[in-house]
Amino acid sequence: MKLISEIEIKGFRSIRDIKLSEIDNFTALAGLNNAGKSNVLRALNAFFNEETDEGKYVDVDEDYFRPDLHKKKAKQIIISLTFSLPAHFNFRKGLEGAKDLLSNNFKLTKIWKRNEIFPAYYINNNKKELDLEDRKKVYSFLQLINFRYIPNRVLPVDVIKKEQVSLRDVLIRRLGKKAKASNPAFSSIRETSDALIQPMVKRFREASPDVGDIRLATPTSWSDMIFAFGYKLGDKGIETDDVSQGAGIQSLLMLETLHLIDLDYFQKFGWRQASIWAIEEPESSLHSSLEARVASFLSLIASGKDSRLQILCTTHSDLIIQYSNKVTILKKEGHETKLLEQTNPREALDKLSRAGISRWVHPLLYFPLDPIILVEGKYDANFLEKAIVYFKLKRKPIISFLEKLDETKTGGKDDMYNYIKANSQVIKSRSKDAPVIVILDWDARNKKSNFEKLFSSDDPFKIIGWPDTALNPKLGKSFRGIERSYSERLIELAKEKDMPIGVIETGKYLVESSEYEIIKKTLDEIVRNELTEDDIRYAKTFIKEVLELIPGVL
């Protein structure tokens, strides 16, 4: 979920003046150690909670930008957030005044000054400080957002214990009227708690197969009713407490628990409308496979269709960066934190690996938990990206194309074969649950056996050719690529854009080879903006066959 779209910080810790724009669902802050990444998260904590760290309130003399502390000018810390409220963000009844004051897109600024207990509030670029009545309205808006700051040094199990009251409230609300007598009551508590954490358990077993079972430590008698929540992890009939687990397991339990609680907040009378997590280095203490699971989980919960969560984190992890939506790279110049660049994860990884901040990642090992469908060109990829929307997928594959993986390749069966052959060992190192599926164009499918010879049946690789049954019979061989599977409607839309597409006496469409490139580009634009389910009717059965090659997608 996108809630904060821009962050401006002035005069705070290592930050003299910085503006971070294009904040996305899941934004990673990357850079060398001591670049000032954590100070961005502390500034957010100051904005929402009036604290820089737990129990430490903002103090201008302590927290002001140090190199300017002794300059003869007014010392003040300024933090501004620009909010862009999504459609599903609702001001509950009684907060109409706050909604009228703020609208859906606004900038909210807090300014801390020396010798003043409370910060001043400002809206947009208005230089007039808000009065007490309007500050109450702003405060009521901020109460709709649950902000969590999770420092790197925090013990995950302590976070879980701290949330025990919230977790207990979730369980009691789910329990409802099940418990009416003493004995059934505790059975109902156990049944409800098991159902409550079932999605967590499923993901946890995928991430850590060596963990046998997980349950909430709930009471079994009236004498246990004053109890502290935690988890019991089982292995071959032996249960151990969460506190006895390794740091990586505790971290995953912590994130899952916080998400479970926040989900309940959203369902509880509209009390909370959104959550923002500011996490320092979520990859800490995790081995690579668990790190990938955490990165994927954070992306999933922040970017889902109905998500009410926005995540910002500091990181050095290539996996966290891969699964983020946006990357902000920070650097230190002297004593000052500067913005180097805001970019997409792919470009960020290239720059960060060259700078020695993150590891270089082979393009075929991006998103290691997600299957890859590899096609020859970007037009094929765009069509598949839009087409798979019409399938109810349990997990979404990555659609990629040759030129995206290797800029020296232009596509075509020969380039595809040479690339797969050169990188066969990389493909073999992928998980069987995340295979590489290569789709050959209809005019190259006779080369399928050449690819198959590079791999065994146990390797995470499949190849399939586009069949005649997936082609539109009204489009002949003059339509050379993916376009031959397009519907007549798409072709007619291209004709309406004055594309030189003819129709012969048999009713078949015909194009001249010299005009084909501009026609392909126009058709691709139509596909990206106007593709309907009926437009994939010729290819739909084949696309389903491709998806069936991937475990757990359908």
Side-chain angles (χ1 to χ4, degrees):
M1 178 201 68
K2 297 179 185 178
L3 182 65
I4 299 172
S5 58
E6 195 168 84
I7 301 170
E8 297 176 71
I9 306 168
K10 295 180 181 179
F12 179 73
R13 298 278 179 107
S14 64
I15 301 170
R16 174 182 274 130
D17 189 350
I18 199 170
K19 183 177 181 178
L20 310 180
S21 56
E22 303 177 41
I23 307 300
D24 216 315
N25 305 322
F26 179 21
T27 299
L29 307 178
L32 290 169
N33 288 338
N34 206 37
K37 305 183 294 295
S38 294
N39 284 336
V40 175
L41 302 190
R42 289 191 182 97
L44 290 174
N45 196 34
F47 185 93
F48 284 100
N49 296 330
E50 308 287 346
E51 295 182 336
T52 55
D53 295 281
E54 186 174 6
K56 189 177 186 303
Y57 292 97
V58 179
D59 183 331
V60 175
D61 287 326
E62 290 289 329
D63 296 312
Y64 188 69
F65 179 62
R66 305 306 294 176
D68 290 349
L69 188 59
H70 301 293
K71 289 185 177 181
K72 293 183 178 180
K73 65 175 185 177
K75 309 296 189 296
Q76 55 186 23
I77 295 171
I78 305 173
I79 302 174
S80 300
L81 302 185
T82 299
F83 291 89
S84 299
L85 305 185
H88 56 259
F89 190 103
N90 295 314
F91 288 81
R92 66 177 182 268
K93 188 175 181 180
L95 299 184
E96 292 82 5
K99 183 176 182 181
D100 292 340
L101 176 68
L102 299 173
S103 72
N104 289 323
N105 296 281
F106 59 93
K107 181 166 76 172
L108 187 58
T109 300
K110 285 188 176 185
I111 299 180
W112 288 263
K113 301 176 183 178
R114 298 180 79 175
N115 303 319
E116 294 189 12
I117 298 175
F118 301 108
Y121 287 67
Y122 300 84
I123 292 181
N124 298 325
N125 296 316
N126 195 328
K127 295 183 179 180
K128 183 180 178 181
E129 181 182 349
L130 294 184
D131 59 24
L132 182 59
E133 196 61 35
D134 282 342
R135 282 182 58 165
K136 289 179 180 178
K137 295 174 183 177
V138 169
Y139 180 77
S140 66
F141 160 72
L142 293 176
Q143 290 304 295
L144 296 173
I145 301 169
N146 189 42
F147 180 84
R148 298 185 183 278
Y149 173 45
I150 307 171
N152 187 25
R153 61 184 176 273
V154 72
L155 292 175
V157 74
D158 287 347
V159 175
I160 295 173
K161 301 300 184 187
K162 186 179 177 181
E163 295 289 342
Q164 62 181 326
V165 174
S166 296
L167 194 55
R168 188 183 305 167
D169 287 347
V170 175
L171 181 57
I172 290 171
R173 280 194 292 277
R174 300 269 182 112
L175 186 61
K177 298 179 180 180
K178 284 185 178 180
K180 296 181 180 179
S182 59
N183 289 334
F186 299 108
S187 296
S188 297
I189 290 174
R190 177 63 185 269
E191 291 170 6
T192 305
S193 68
D194 288 346
L196 177 68
I197 68 170
Q198 187 175 11
M200 175 200 298
V201 173
K202 181 177 181 297
R203 287 191 294 265
F204 207 94
R205 284 174 176 165
E206 291 172 352
S208 300
D210 54 324
V211 174
D213 197 10
I214 307 171
R215 70 172 180 87
L216 277 171
T218 55
T220 58
S221 67
W222 289 114
S223 60
D224 292 338
M225 276 307 290
I226 300 176
F227 62 96
F229 264 106
Y231 292 96
K232 295 286 188 180
L233 288 85
D235 184 17
K236 297 178 181 178
I238 300 173
E239 287 190 332
T240 54
D241 294 329
D242 46 14
V243 72
S244 301
Q245 304 301 313
I249 298 296
Q250 289 186 24
S251 294
L252 191 54
L253 279 171
M254 174 189 70
L255 295 173
E256 288 274 12
T257 300
L258 296 180
H259 179 53
L260 187 154
I261 292 169
D262 283 354
L263 277 178
D264 191 70
Y265 279 152
F266 308 144
Q267 296 162 1
K268 181 189 172 187
F269 315 120
W271 181 42
R272 301 283 194 186
Q273 287 297 308
S275 278
I276 297 172
W277 291 3
I279 314 174
E280 289 184 6
E281 299 182 18
E283 70 270 16
S284 295
S285 304
L286 305 180
H287 58 259
S288 292
S289 61
L290 198 55
E291 185 180 328
R293 291 285 179 183
V294 165
S296 177
F297 174 66
L298 293 176
S299 176
L300 173 69
I301 61 178
S303 305
K305 181 181 177 182
D306 300 318
S307 173
R308 291 177 179 266
L309 172 65
Q310 186 172 31
I311 297 175
L312 297 94
C313 72
T314 64
T315 190
H316 301 119
S317 164
D318 61 279
L319 287 161
I320 298 293
I321 291 168
Q322 286 176 50
Y323 281 93
S324 66
N325 302 110
K326 199 76 177 179
V327 181
T328 295
I329 303 176
L330 301 172
K331 65 176 181 177
K332 197 78 166 283
E333 288 186 359
H335 298 286
E336 185 177 354
T337 295
K338 292 277 194 178
L339 173 65
L340 180 61
E341 187 175 4
Q342 292 179 275
T343 185
N344 63 64
R346 180 75 179 268
E347 292 180 357
L349 273 179
D350 290 341
K351 296 178 185 296
L352 293 168
S353 62
R354 287 197 295 270
I357 296 169
S358 298
R359 295 170 297 185
W360 180 81
V361 182
H362 193 288
L364 281 172
L365 295 180
Y366 275 31
F367 305 106
L369 302 180
D370 301 311
I372 297 175
I373 296 177
L374 180 57
V375 293
E376 292 182 24
K378 64 180 178 180
Y379 298 139
D380 306 61
N382 290 339
F383 177 74
L384 281 176
E385 280 278 5
K386 295 296 182 179
I388 64 173
V389 170
Y390 297 105
F391 295 83
K392 294 181 179 179
L393 303 183
K394 296 176 182 176
R395 53 193 293 234
K396 186 181 176 183
I398 303 297
I399 311 294
S400 193
F401 56 94
L402 198 54
E403 191 176 353
K404 186 176 181 180
L405 297 177
D406 186 340
E407 294 177 356
T408 67
K409 306 295 183 183
T410 57
K413 58 182 180 296
D414 292 334
D415 269 356
M416 179 71 84
Y417 175 77
N418 291 333
Y419 182 81
I420 295 298
K421 182 178 180 181
N423 294 284
S424 59
Q425 293 302 316
V426 176
I427 294 172
K428 290 177 181 180
S429 70
R430 290 182 62 89
S431 165
K432 288 185 179 180
D433 288 333
V436 173
I437 312 293
V438 171
I439 300 179
L440 294 177
D441 285 349
W442 59 269
D443 55 353
R445 62 187 181 226
N446 61 338
K447 301 293 184 180
K448 178 182 171 184
S449 60
N450 294 347
F451 289 82
E452 291 174 332
K453 292 175 183 177
L454 301 173
F455 301 92
S456 73
S457 58
D458 291 330
D459 288 328
F461 177 84
K462 304 288 181 184
I463 186 162
I464 190 168
W466 206 273
D468 289 340
T469 54
L471 305 177
N472 184 342
K474 289 189 176 181
L475 305 181
K477 290 185 177 181
S478 63
F479 289 83
R480 297 192 294 271
I482 191 73
E483 298 78 25
R484 202 173 169 190
S485 291
Y486 290 176
S487 68
E488 296 92 318
R489 189 187 77 90
L490 296 177
I491 305 301
E492 289 296 330
L493 287 174
K495 288 181 67 178
E496 290 175 11
K497 294 179 180 290
D498 297 323
M499 288 297 101
I501 301 174
V503 183
I504 60 177
E505 291 181 358
T506 60
K508 284 190 174 184
Y509 293 91
L510 186 70
V511 294
E512 295 291 338
S513 58
S514 59
E515 306 281 359
Y516 198 60
E517 193 57 38
I518 185 64
I519 293 172
K520 285 180 66 171
K521 288 181 179 179
T522 301
L523 283 168
D524 178 64
E525 181 182 353
I526 294 169
V527 163
R528 286 185 283 113
N529 295 304
E530 302 183 46
L531 191 76
T532 67
E533 187 171 5
D534 187 61
D535 292 326
I536 67 170
R537 64 183 182 276
Y538 295 107
K540 192 171 184 179
T541 300
F542 172 66
I543 295 173
K544 185 179 179 182
E545 289 177 12
V546 173
L547 296 172
E548 286 174 342
L549 295 174
I550 307 171
V553 167
L554 289 175

